[in-house]
Structure formats: structure tokens, C-alpha cells
């Protein structure tokens, strides 16, 4: 991977009397575009590095794997928390789009919830190291305020769709019990269970006792709709 690009402001085109904006403004815009492009490239490189090295990778290790120096990362992101925030904004946006799309295209509330659980587990499983890296600050209370808002918005969006799926299910004439005001707490509880179980599943060592993604999705859906005592039939 290439190291930092040269400053494009080192060469400027000749100006003309009727050119707008002024050449200095043009240089500023080009330099800002360059910085944005460079920032995106650094995030992509860091994401690949974390995927390989693990969520505990240091800035120095990430920079070395990205083919640059840690001073470059500090210049663009300030510190490791800034890099986590920048990477997290992208990762969470991608996860949210896929999860909500899965829920919208399902044929029933139950199928929609199962599709959302599956999308969540699939996206997290794609790179458990990256998922752990961008959510690490949440567990320790060190998440940057702006990224904490991104995390909150991410889970609120998913909770909102789970709430709509739950209410459609209860209103569909199913045999589910009427929960009354307690139903308001179900989406938050459901998401908490999916997250907690999913993160423990991600951290589990591979082996014959570890459920597949499809098995984990199906079991979580059964627990959410039918309860712990329900024994699922064949897939």
C-alpha cells in the first residue's frame, strides 16, 4: 500500500481573470478532497489490519500493517479512540443498512425478525475482530461522545423495527399472549439478548459444540417468539 500522498498544493494551475472560485480556493478544495480520500484509504487499511491482528492491535501495529507510520494515523484521527470512531461510523452504517433491509423484505413479522438476527450475526461474524474493535469503548465507558451517539442511533433503529415486527405479530391473530404495557420493553430486551448471545457466540472457540450461524439465528428467533421451553423442530 502506498504511503502518504504528496500535498497537491505544491503545484497550481495558472489563473485566469474570469475564473471562479479564486485559485487559492481551488487549491483548498483539492487539498480537502485529498485529505478525505486519504482518510478513507487509511480507515480501509486499518480495518484490514484489525481483521488480521485482532481487536487489541496497537496504533503502531495497525500503521505498520497498513504500510505507513503511526504519526500519519495520529495526524488524521488524533488517537486510537478517534480511529475506532471513524471506523465504527462506517461499520455500523453498513450493518444497519443490511439489517434493516433484511427486515423490510421479509414476508411476516417472525420472518422479518429472523432475517434481522441473521443479518446481524452474519455481519459481526464477517470480522469479529473489527466488530470488537469498534464496540470496545462501549464496554469500558471510554467511547467518544459522538461515536456513542452513533452506537445509540444504530441500536435504536434496530429496536424500532423490532418493535414494529413484535406489534404486527401480536396484532396478527396469533396465539401469542397479550402483553399490554409490558410489550413496550420487549424490543429492548430482545435486542439485548441477541447482542449478548451473539457476542458470546462470536467469542466462542470453533468446534463441534459451537452452533452455526443458521442454528444460532434459528434458536434466538425461537427464544424470542416461543420462549426457553420451546423445542424447535427441523429447519
Amino acid at each position: 500500500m502506498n504511503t502518504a500522498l504528496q500535498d497537491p498544493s505544491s503545484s497550481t494551475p495558472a489563473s485566469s481573470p474570469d475564473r471562479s472560485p479564486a485559485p487559492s480556493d481551488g487549491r483548498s478544495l483539492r487539498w480537502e478532497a485529498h485529505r478525505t480520500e486519504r482518510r478513507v484509504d487509511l480507515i480501509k487499511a486499518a480495518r484490514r489490519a484489525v481483521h488480521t491482528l485482532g481487536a487489541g492491535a496497537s496504533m503502531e501495529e495497525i500503521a505498520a500493517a497498513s504500510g505507513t507510520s503511526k504519526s500519519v494515523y495520529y495526524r488524521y484521527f488524533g488517537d486510537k479512540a478517534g480511529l475506532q470512531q471513524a471506523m465504527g461510523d462506517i461499520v455500523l452504517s453498513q450493518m444497519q443498512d443490511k439489517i434493516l433491509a433484511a427486515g423490510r423484505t421479509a414476508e411476516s413479522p417472525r420472518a422479518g425478525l429472523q432475517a434481522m438476527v441473521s443479518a446481524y450475526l452474519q455481519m459481526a461474524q464477517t470480522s469479529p475482530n473489527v466488530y470488537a474493535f469498534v464496540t470496545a469503548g462501549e464496554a469500558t465507558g471510554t467511547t467518544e461522545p459522538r461515536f456513542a451517539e452513533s452506537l445509540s442511533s444504530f441500536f435504536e433503529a434496530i429496536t424500532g423495527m423490532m418493535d414494529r415486527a413484535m406489534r404486527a405479530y401480536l396484532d396478527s391473530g396469533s396465539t401469542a399472549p397479550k402483553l399490554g404495557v409490558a410489550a413496550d420493553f420487549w424490543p429492548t430486551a430482545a435486542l439485548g439478548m441477541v447482542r449478548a448471545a451473539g457476542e458470546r457466540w462470536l467469542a466462542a472457540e470453533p468446534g463441534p459444540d459451537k452452533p452455526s450461524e443458521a442454528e444460532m439465528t434459528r434458536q434466538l428467533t425461537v427464544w424470542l417468539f416461543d420462549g426457553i421451553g420451546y423445542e424447535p423442530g427441523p429447519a
Side-chain angles (χ1 to χ4, degrees), residues 108-187:
S108 70
R110 185 179 185 121
L113 184 59
Q114 181 164 329
M116 291 173 69
V117 171
S118 179
Y120 174 81
L121 294 179
Q122 285 179 22
M123 289 290 285
Q125 187 184 35
T126 298
S127 182
N129 289 338
V130 171
Y131 178 87
F133 182 81
V134 301
T135 59
E138 186 185 23
T140 60
T142 58
T143 303
E144 290 289 318
R146 191 173 71 81
F147 185 53
E149 291 178 8
S150 297
L151 274 172
S152 178
S153 296
F154 169 65
F155 290 117
E156 282 178 8
I158 297 171
T159 300
M161 181 166 274
M162 292 178 79
D163 179 67
R164 290 190 290 276
M166 177 268 295
R167 294 190 182 282
Y169 179 69
L170 294 179
D171 293 340
S172 65
S174 70
T175 58
K178 299 303 179 183
L179 301 180
V181 294
D184 292 339
F185 299 97
W186 183 89

Side-chain angles (χ1 to χ4, degrees), residues 27-39:
R27 288 197 298 271
S28 177
L29 290 173
R30 288 196 300 276
W31 177 233
E32 186 59 34
H34 158 74
R35 283 186 57 82
T36 299
E37 182 179 358
R38 179 62 171 148
R39 183 180 170 89

Side-chain angles (χ1 to χ4, degrees), residues 20-107:
S20 180
S24 59
D25 292 337
R27 288 197 298 271
S28 177
L29 290 173
R30 288 196 300 276
W31 177 233
E32 186 59 34
H34 158 74
R35 283 186 57 82
T36 299
E37 182 179 358
R38 179 62 171 148
R39 183 180 170 89
V40 170
D41 288 342
L42 287 169
I43 292 172
K44 289 179 179 178
R47 189 171 176 173
R48 290 192 295 268
V50 170
H51 175 79
T52 302
L53 298 172
S58 67
M59 288 287 273
E60 187 170 8
E61 291 170 328
I62 291 171
S66 302
T68 188
S69 67
K70 66 179 180 179
S71 64
V72 172
Y73 272 97
Y74 282 117
R75 186 186 318 142
Y76 278 85
F77 303 101
D79 55 16
K80 188 174 181 178
L83 176 60
Q84 287 173 311
Q85 173 181 306
M87 192 188 303
D89 287 342
I90 293 174
V91 171
L92 293 181
S93 177
Q94 292 172 343
M95 289 185 71
Q96 181 172 316
D97 289 347
K98 185 168 183 178
I99 292 167
L100 297 185
R104 283 192 293 266
T105 56
E107 296 179 353

